[in-house]
Amino acid sequence: MPIDAFVTGAVETALNQLVKDDVDSQRRLSRLRGKVISVTLNEFGKTLYFIFSQQIDVLAAYEGEVDCQLALNLSVLPELRQHANLTQLIKADKLSLEGDLQLAQHFSSLLSGLKPDIEEKLSHYSGDVVAHTMMRGVKSSGQFIQQRLLKRQQNLAQTLTEEWKLLPQPLEIAYFADQVDDLKSATACFEARLNQLLER
């Protein structure tokens, strides 16, 4: 159970700090006051209970009445931040919801508004110039890594299609699709002519 306490404590502290720093998030929190939402992460079989009052309390176990229950995979969690996606996620069976949909939308709206300003926080400890330089370095490193991954994917695709011939090239696929269409047309013409001959 200590790991549950650590996770819930970390999530609770982070959420409350982010809400405290943003006036709009405090307004969004007020719409959830007095409500309880459970979020089950399917991969772990763990449920977190979010209890809303003046702040957000996060618990690993709760015996009271839950107003809204959400169950989802960890990969869907970032999409939960866009409340316009909720109904699409439900239709695609990526999100299971029991209870008040509007409450889930308010929760999603609260999450979408929580955008930590890391540079601002860092500047309190290191100064504005150092914080800005560090964040710019982190962003450029992220872009560099993303470009390298994209290049690796392109190289792998090229190796599989051109060198090892394990996969067909896009033009080969298009040519095959055209041949299938031609065969389908020829078959339809043959069938029509055969039917005409049989009717005579």
Side-chain angles (χ1 to χ4, degrees):
M1 209 62 166
I3 190 78
D4 290 345
F6 174 75
V7 169
T8 56
V11 171
E12 180 179 308
T13 303
L15 287 176
N16 284 315
Q17 186 63 46
L18 290 170
V19 168
K20 188 178 91 174
D21 293 343
D22 182 36
V23 176
D24 289 334
S25 293
Q26 292 171 14
R27 181 181 46 78
R28 285 189 280 272
L29 176 63
S30 68
R31 290 187 287 194
L32 293 165
R33 195 166 290 144
K35 303 294 183 183
V36 179
I37 295 176
S38 70
V39 177
T40 302
L41 299 173
N42 296 332
E43 291 95 340
F44 306 111
K46 291 284 184 186
T47 302
L48 296 178
Y49 297 90
F50 295 83
I51 303 165
F52 302 97
S53 57
Q54 301 289 68
Q55 63 174 22
I56 303 170
D57 294 314
V58 182
L59 304 173
Y62 181 74
E63 294 181 14
E65 186 84 16
V66 176
D67 299 296
C68 181
Q69 299 174 348
L70 304 173
L72 56 122
N73 290 334
L74 202 56
S75 61
V76 177
L77 209 50
E79 295 179 59
L80 192 62
R81 292 183 59 160
Q82 296 156 355
H83 68 276
N85 286 352
L86 283 181
T87 51
Q88 293 171 350
L89 292 173
I90 293 168
K91 287 178 184 174
D93 288 332
K94 292 182 175 180
L95 172 68
S96 170
L97 183 140
E98 288 182 32
D100 189 356
L101 175 63
Q102 189 174 19
L103 188 59
Q105 289 174 329
H106 289 323
F107 182 56
S108 175
S109 177
L110 175 68
L111 292 179
S112 67
L114 299 177
K115 295 180 179 123
D117 189 354
I118 298 169
E119 188 173 328
E120 175 66 28
K121 297 278 186 208
L122 196 57
S123 70
H124 292 301
Y125 301 104
S126 63
D128 289 340
V129 174
V130 173
H132 180 71
T133 306
M134 286 177 66
M135 289 308 295
R136 200 170 67 204
V138 167
K139 286 177 186 172
S140 64
S141 296
Q143 289 172 346
F144 175 75
I145 290 169
Q146 207 170 21
Q147 289 170 350
R148 296 297 297 170
L149 286 173
L150 182 62
K151 185 73 174 162
R152 294 269 182 204
Q153 285 177 338
Q154 291 170 344
N155 289 342
L156 179 60
Q158 192 173 13
T159 301
L160 290 173
T161 56
E162 293 179 12
E163 290 181 25
W164 295 348
K165 305 282 188 200
L166 293 175
L167 298 174
Q169 293 182 4
L171 287 176
E172 291 174 323
I173 294 171
Y175 179 67
F176 177 75
D178 288 344
Q179 286 181 319
V180 169
D181 289 340
D182 291 345
L183 182 61
K184 193 188 301 182
S185 297
T187 305
C189 287
F190 175 74
E191 186 178 0
R193 288 176 90 192
L194 184 64
N195 287 336
Q196 283 178 348
L197 291 171
L198 291 175
E199 287 173 0
R200 287 184 183 173

